Amino acid sequence: MVDYHGANNQSLYSAGEQQTYMEQENDWDRDLLLDPAWEKQQRKTFTAWCNSHLRKAGTQIENIEEDFRDGLKLMLLLEVISGERLPKPERGKMRVHKINNVNKALDFIASKGVKLVSIGAEETSAKEGLLLWCQRKTAPYKNVNVQNFHISWKDGLAFNALIHRHRPELIDYDKLRKDDPVTNLNNAFEVAERYLDIPKMLDAEDIVNTARPDEKAIMTYVSSFYHAFSGAQKAETAANRICKVLAVNQENEHLMEDYEKLASDLLEWIRRTIPWLENRAPEKTMTEMQQKLEDFRDYRRVHKPPKVQEKCQLEINFNTLQTKLRLSNRPAFMPSEGRMVSDINGAWHKLEGAEKGYEEWLLNEIRRLERLDHLAEKFRQKAAIHESWTDGKETMLTQKDYETATLSEIKALLKKHEAFESDLAAHQDRVEQIAAIAQELNELDYYDSPSVNARCQKICEQWDALGSLTQNRRESLERTEKQLESIDELYLEYAKRAAPFNNWMEGAMEDLQDMFIVHNIEEIQGLITAHDQFKSTLPEANKEREAIQAIQAEVQKIAQYNGIKLAGNNPYTTITPQSIDKKWEKVQQLVPQRDQALQEELARQQSNDHLRRQFANQANMIGPWIQNKMEEIGRISIEMNGTLEDQLTHLRQYEQSIIEYKPNIDQLEGDHQLIQEVCICQYTHTETIQEQLHEYRTSFNHFDKKRTGIMDSDDFRALLISTGNSLGDAEFARIMGIVDPNNSGAVTFQAFIDFMSRETTDTDTADQVIASFKILAGDKNYITAEELRRELPPDQAEYCIARMAPYTGPDAVPGALDYMSFSTALYGESDL
């Protein structure tokens, strides 16, 4: 199979096979001249071909030599083929009359540049163009390898493939067998004659039973397929163009209806949404406020984006509709009262104002509840620690153990009481903190303030009682102090130093485990600074710990040295060296843990801050861009000047610039989504033509023999044939006038591409639509309902039938419809 997609369109044969093939071609050509069956087949084929055209004039021939001898039917055949009138024939029966008629036919042929001797470059190019067209159309089919116009067609598959490519409903190609050529050929010939109006020019047996079928006969038959499908393509293109124009007309009506409905629905949604966004009733708990925030996020993520799209689409539809109506000379669309674009923009502006206020209120409420919850938890922790410490203290302070104690025991009790007073004073700050937190919760209207106040009051009352009891016990102990002897100073020193240090460690552990909630970098940096200051005190604290432990070690040393047996633990304190070491070890563990927590929070805040700046920078850039584009859209819909082609080019460029800018908006939306997810609460329609361009390029390269990017008119004619253009002399002259306006005789690739782009782009002027209807009507000045229903989709056909006026021209027939006035009315040029 020929690879027509390749730049050089090389055959799949090797060089040696190609040489053998060419030698075989020459042998076949010599054999044909000696084969009497060849001349019979030629006569049969060209007789059928002539009759396929002459039947349009209501006649036919039986014998080429006899029936063309007087020149009359030859002239008639030329008129049918060319569509032009030849000079009036001579009707006499004399030989001179017949010769004159034949000469008139030959002169007409010569006037069209047709050479009657040998085969020139033009005929060769046309043959090559037809061959390339066949290769392109049959390329996808298995067992088809079109290399020529003789043996490549013997098995009949190529004929069937051509039909199936254009009318797949007529051929079941998969059921055809390569080893049954007669059935294949008969199937293709019968289908072509019955459904495509292509007369049967050859018999299957003549092709199968010949080593090399006649090339010109096959070419003649294949060219009938080419012209049949080219004509069908023109009708299809015309029908498509009409459908496109009618669809635009109907679309205008649908756009008006859609705008009204979409505008009503959008305004109703805005009307329902604004009261919800204006509701500022706070919830008491964080869970309830978090649900409100989640509902708001759901609104932003799920409910609002479709409405934003609807609003944009509404404005696009409105401007598109106004532009289409203006270009089609129709009155501008005026929406019903209250549904103008300005009305929708005003309502949307009010919606966004309520949305912004609602978001700010939500975030403030969440911050307030976060602080309240944080304070409440802090209150509970400190209260629990204090309550645990006071447990049993009242009982201890009210006991009467000093009444029966010895002097030494009394002295010990007094010292112990002094140590307790030191411990009591150390707890004063905690009680004050608890009271301050309760006061702040009360001022911030914490929902559980009553229970907090009650607990705080109980702690304060208990604290006052402890102070009073402590004073009473001291007084009792001091009354007997004169009877007491000094006790071991080392125990006392230990107790005095151990108690504050123990409290310091407890406070340190409490602070190190304290929860923190921050909202910006400054707050976390403040916590880090405080933590660094705390760490700087650790060396001095460790020295104090070592000094306290040294006191205990000295006690052990003195006792051991003097042989004293210590009775139990230090009588002045319950703080043991082991408990001090354990708490110190806990402090050492908590310091790096808090370091890590603070650094993680710092990293999170830095990331959040980066997102804020990134979002702000993009928003500051994209916001003015969108505003500018909206203003440009408004101007474009009013101020479009120039030809339709210029306006279309400008709009496509404008559309491309918007498409190219869309990734910036997508990135902005992505950043906004990230901001929402991390709870930073501060906030085509173009058709691809690449494939078509590739096909045009490979076709041009195939016929650009010299690889110069320029080809002569004969090669260009072959190129047009290969792309499916059915060419008469007038049509080819028209095309050459377009691609070669200077009559240089050469066609460039760019000129070819420009021509194909114009030819394949549907236009929708009134003249173009009239021309399309004329094709469907078979060149008549009117069209019938039957023809419309046959050529157009049912809804489009009925649309035309219902609106077309009756045709009243002199050539009118019953039921004739005036497609000309209908076409001009589509563009506001006349009334239907």
Side-chain angles (χ1 to χ4, degrees):
M1 183 181 295
V2 172
D3 179 14
Y4 65 87
H5 291 295
N8 299 317
N9 198 28
Q10 295 295 324
S11 171
L12 295 181
Y13 293 123
S14 64
E17 291 171 335
Q18 190 74 9
Q19 179 64 29
T20 303
Y21 175 77
M22 295 302 297
E23 293 173 356
Q24 189 177 18
E25 285 269 311
N26 294 331
D27 293 342
W28 279 334
D29 288 340
R30 287 192 297 271
D31 293 342
L32 280 176
L33 296 176
L34 304 175
D35 185 0
W38 175 80
E39 183 178 353
K40 179 180 178 182
Q41 189 182 63
Q42 287 279 305
R43 292 175 182 276
K44 180 178 180 180
T45 300
F46 286 103
T47 299
W49 180 82
C50 291
N51 285 334
S52 71
H53 293 288
L54 287 173
R55 64 180 176 175
K56 299 176 183 177
T59 187
Q60 64 178 18
I61 61 173
E62 299 294 336
N63 184 287
I64 290 179
E65 290 91 341
E66 296 299 327
D67 293 344
F68 279 163
R69 187 180 298 277
D70 61 5
L72 292 175
K73 289 190 176 180
L74 178 60
M75 293 178 70
L76 183 60
L77 174 64
L78 293 174
E79 288 184 343
V80 172
I81 294 173
S82 67
E84 300 181 26
R85 299 288 294 178
L86 270 70
K88 186 176 181 180
E90 300 181 13
R91 297 294 180 179
K93 300 294 184 181
M94 299 177 63
R95 185 170 181 271
V96 66
H97 297 144
K98 298 177 181 180
I99 292 174
N100 287 341
N101 288 337
V102 171
N103 285 335
K104 289 178 181 180
L106 295 177
D107 289 342
F108 178 79
I109 294 173
S111 71
K112 298 302 178 182
V114 179
K115 301 177 179 61
L116 299 178
V117 180
S118 75
I119 297 178
E122 181 178 349
E123 289 74 15
T124 302
S125 295
K127 173 184 174 182
E128 189 174 356
L130 182 62
L131 181 63
L132 184 58
W133 178 81
C134 294
Q135 290 171 340
R136 178 179 289 109
K137 295 300 181 181
T138 61
Y141 293 87
K142 63 181 181 180
N143 296 326
V144 178
N145 183 11
V146 177
Q147 296 285 345
N148 49 53
F149 284 111
H150 35 81
I151 61 173
S152 294
W153 302 81
K154 282 190 67 173
D155 59 13
L157 292 178
F159 283 108
N160 282 277
L162 278 181
I163 298 174
H164 185 270
R165 181 65 182 271
H166 295 88
R167 295 287 300 277
E169 75 279 6
L170 299 180
I171 298 285
D172 189 351
Y173 186 85
D174 291 335
K175 290 187 177 180
L176 301 177
R177 291 167 33 210
K178 188 174 180 65
D179 58 358
D180 191 3
V182 173
T183 299
N184 297 340
L185 289 165
N186 284 330
N187 180 68
F189 297 163
E190 290 169 6
V191 168
E193 187 168 38
R194 181 176 179 183
Y195 297 103
L196 304 178
D197 200 27
I198 298 175
K200 185 176 181 181
M201 299 182 185
L202 297 170
D203 290 326
E205 291 76 9
D206 292 341
I207 297 176
V208 174
N209 296 331
T210 303
R212 178 181 182 270
D214 180 62
E215 184 177 57
K216 288 186 173 58
I218 297 293
M219 278 186 63
T220 301
Y221 210 165
V222 171
S223 66
S224 297
F225 284 84
Y226 175 86
H227 289 294
F229 292 133
S230 296
Q233 183 65 37
K234 284 187 177 180
E236 182 179 352
T237 301
N240 289 339
R241 183 177 293 114
I242 291 171
C243 288
K244 174 188 171 184
V245 172
L246 296 179
V248 169
N249 202 57
Q250 293 170 311
E251 183 184 5
N252 289 341
E253 300 171 3
H254 293 321
L255 283 175
M256 295 177 189
E257 296 172 0
D258 291 345
Y259 177 88
E260 290 284 342
K261 183 178 185 309
L262 190 58
S264 298
D265 292 346
L266 184 58
L267 287 169
E268 174 61 20
W269 178 81
I270 293 173
R271 185 191 66 78
R272 292 195 315 268
T273 305
I274 287 178
W276 173 66
L277 293 172
E278 290 178 340
N279 181 14
R280 300 293 190 272
E283 302 295 343
K284 292 184 177 181
T285 67
M286 176 63 77
T287 301
E288 292 171 320
M289 285 306 297
Q290 286 286 4
Q291 184 58 51
K292 274 186 175 288
L293 180 61
E294 187 59 35
D295 292 342
F296 179 71
R297 288 177 177 170
D298 190 56
Y299 155 79
R300 292 286 289 270
R301 289 193 304 260
V302 179
H303 300 292
K304 185 182 178 184
K307 299 304 178 183
V308 173
Q309 186 175 358
E310 286 179 14
K311 177 177 177 294
C312 294
Q313 191 61 48
L314 194 68
E315 295 176 358
I316 292 171
N317 289 354
F318 181 82
N319 291 326
T320 299
L321 177 59
Q322 299 293 43
T323 301
K324 291 178 68 174
L325 291 172
R326 181 171 61 82
L327 293 176
S328 60
N329 297 319
R330 299 300 176 89
F333 170 56
M334 181 61 66
S336 55
E337 185 176 357
R339 294 185 177 87
M340 291 290 292
V341 171
S342 58
D343 298 324
I344 294 170
N345 286 335
W348 191 265
H349 181 71
K350 184 178 179 182
L351 171 77
E352 291 192 325
E355 178 183 312
K356 181 179 179 182
Y358 186 67
E359 182 179 21
E360 291 174 353
W361 172 77
L362 272 176
L363 300 176
N364 289 332
E365 277 298 304
I366 287 176
R367 290 193 200 97
R368 186 180 70 84
L369 288 177
E370 281 180 342
R371 174 152 183 78
L372 286 174
D373 284 350
H374 175 64
L375 287 173
E377 181 61 25
K378 199 168 186 177
F379 173 84
R380 286 188 285 270
Q381 287 183 357
K382 289 184 177 294
I385 292 172
H386 179 74
E387 288 165 347
S388 175
W389 179 82
T390 59
D391 186 32
K393 294 298 189 292
E394 289 187 11
T395 301
M396 180 195 74
L397 291 171
T398 56
Q399 62 185 341
K400 304 295 183 178
D401 52 345
Y402 56 85
E403 293 179 351
T404 58
T406 64
L407 181 61
S408 59
E409 290 173 339
I410 291 298
K411 287 184 178 290
L413 288 175
L414 184 58
K415 297 299 182 183
K416 183 178 180 180
H417 186 71
E418 289 176 353
F420 172 76
E421 285 180 322
S422 178
D423 198 9
L424 184 68
H427 279 77
Q428 178 67 35
D429 287 344
R430 181 175 291 146
V431 174
E432 291 175 355
Q433 289 176 12
I434 291 172
I437 293 173
Q439 178 65 24
E440 187 173 1
L441 288 171
N442 193 55
E443 292 173 352
L444 293 175
D445 194 24
Y446 182 57
Y447 77 95
D448 199 23
S449 290
S451 64
V452 170
N453 290 336
R455 190 172 183 182
C456 181
Q457 184 177 1
K458 182 178 178 181
I459 289 172
C460 291
E461 289 175 351
Q462 186 184 40
W463 182 254
D464 291 340
L466 285 176
S468 178
L469 291 173
T470 299
Q471 181 63 29
N472 292 338
R473 185 171 177 82
R474 165 169 278 282
E475 291 173 355
S476 299
L477 291 172
E478 285 179 348
R479 280 194 301 268
T480 59
E481 182 178 9
K482 295 179 180 181
Q483 304 171 17
L484 301 178
E485 293 182 352
S486 197
I487 63 172
D488 193 340
E489 291 296 335
L490 289 175
Y491 269 138
L492 182 57
E493 180 68 15
Y494 177 94
K496 287 182 177 181
R497 297 183 69 169
F501 186 71
N502 185 68
N503 278 291
W504 176 85
M505 288 193 297
E506 288 182 350
M509 287 190 293
E510 184 179 336
D511 290 339
L512 288 170
Q513 296 178 85
D514 184 28
M515 297 183 302
F516 56 85
I517 296 179
V518 295
H519 299 91
N520 53 53
I521 290 179
E522 288 75 14
E523 292 178 358
I524 188 62
Q525 286 176 337
L527 289 177
I528 291 173
T529 300
H531 183 63
D532 290 341
Q533 292 172 350
F534 166 77
K535 289 193 294 183
S536 69
T537 66
L538 289 178
E540 287 299 322
N542 189 42
K543 291 180 181 179
E544 179 66 11
R545 181 185 67 85
E546 291 174 348
I548 292 171
Q549 298 293 53
I551 294 172
Q552 181 65 23
E554 185 66 19
V555 169
Q556 296 292 337
K557 181 180 178 181
I558 294 173
Q560 184 177 5
Y561 180 80
N562 295 289
I564 300 172
K565 185 177 181 181
L566 298 174
N569 295 323
N570 192 322
Y572 305 113
T573 181
T574 58
I575 302 171
T576 66
Q578 292 77 17
S579 67
I580 289 177
D581 285 343
K582 185 175 181 181
K583 290 179 180 178
W584 178 257
E585 183 180 351
K586 181 65 174 177
V587 169
Q588 295 295 94
Q589 292 174 352
L590 291 174
V591 168
Q593 291 176 7
R594 190 163 182 87
D595 277 336
Q596 181 179 355
L598 290 172
Q599 290 303 319
E600 289 175 353
E601 180 61 23
L602 177 62
R604 188 176 76 87
Q605 289 299 331
Q606 288 173 336
S607 175
N608 291 349
D609 194 53
H610 172 72
L611 284 175
R612 291 189 191 97
R613 290 196 301 271
Q614 179 174 309
F615 179 82
N617 291 338
Q618 283 199 287
N620 291 336
M621 176 184 66
I622 292 175
W625 184 90
I626 293 176
Q627 181 64 34
N628 183 49
K629 290 301 176 185
M630 294 296 292
E631 293 173 358
E632 288 182 9
I633 289 173
R635 290 198 299 272
I636 287 172
S637 63
I638 298 174
E639 301 174 0
M640 292 182 70
N641 298 314
T643 65
L644 287 176
E645 290 79 3
D646 292 340
Q647 296 174 16
L648 179 59
T649 300
H650 180 65
L651 287 175
R652 284 176 175 167
Q653 292 172 347
Y654 190 82
E655 177 191 32
Q656 186 61 35
S657 72
I658 293 176
I659 291 173
E660 291 173 353
Y661 198 80
K662 188 175 183 297
N664 295 323
I665 299 176
D666 292 341
Q667 182 179 352
L668 182 65
E669 179 58 29
D671 291 343
H672 180 266
Q673 184 66 27
L674 287 174
I675 288 174
Q676 291 294 314
E677 289 176 357
V678 299
C679 195
I680 299 176
C681 306
Q682 326 277 9
Y683 203 25
T684 129
H685 181 62
T686 56
E687 295 182 359
T688 302
I689 62 170
Q690 200 64 28
E691 226 175 89
Q692 189 69 62
L693 287 174
H694 179 67
E695 183 173 331
Y696 291 159
R697 168 57 76 181
T698 54
S699 298
F700 190 91
N701 288 345
H702 178 80
F703 291 97
D704 182 13
K705 306 298 186 184
K706 299 177 181 178
R707 297 292 179 265
T708 62
I710 300 175
M711 61 176 61
D712 60 27
S713 59
D714 290 340
D715 288 337
F716 183 61
R717 180 189 289 269
L719 171 60
L720 292 176
I721 292 173
S722 74
T723 58
N725 285 279
S726 181
L727 297 176
D729 290 334
E731 175 64 9
F732 183 66
R734 179 188 74 83
I735 295 173
M736 285 300 296
I738 295 173
V739 299
D740 183 23
N742 298 324
N743 296 320
S744 65
V747 181
T748 65
F749 176 70
Q750 188 59 50
F752 168 61
I753 288 295
D754 292 343
F755 165 73
M756 293 302 292
S757 298
R758 283 195 298 270
E759 293 295 305
T760 56
T761 300
D762 287 340
T763 56
D764 55 359
T765 64
D767 290 341
Q768 186 66 65
V769 176
I770 290 173
S772 298
F773 272 119
K774 194 174 185 68
I775 291 174
L776 300 187
D779 289 335
K780 301 191 301 293
N781 293 323
Y782 60 84
I783 195 167
T784 66
E786 180 183 357
E787 289 170 331
L788 287 170
R789 291 189 176 104
R790 183 181 69 237
E791 300 292 347
L792 298 178
D795 59 330
Q796 303 280 26
E798 299 306 322
Y799 182 87
C800 294
I801 293 169
R803 288 165 174 77
M804 280 187 183
Y807 176 73
T808 57
D811 53 343
V813 299
L817 299 174
D818 186 358
Y819 61 78
M820 295 186 183
S821 64
F822 172 79
S823 299
T824 54
L826 290 176
Y827 297 88
E829 299 175 23
S830 68
D831 295 328
L832 289 178

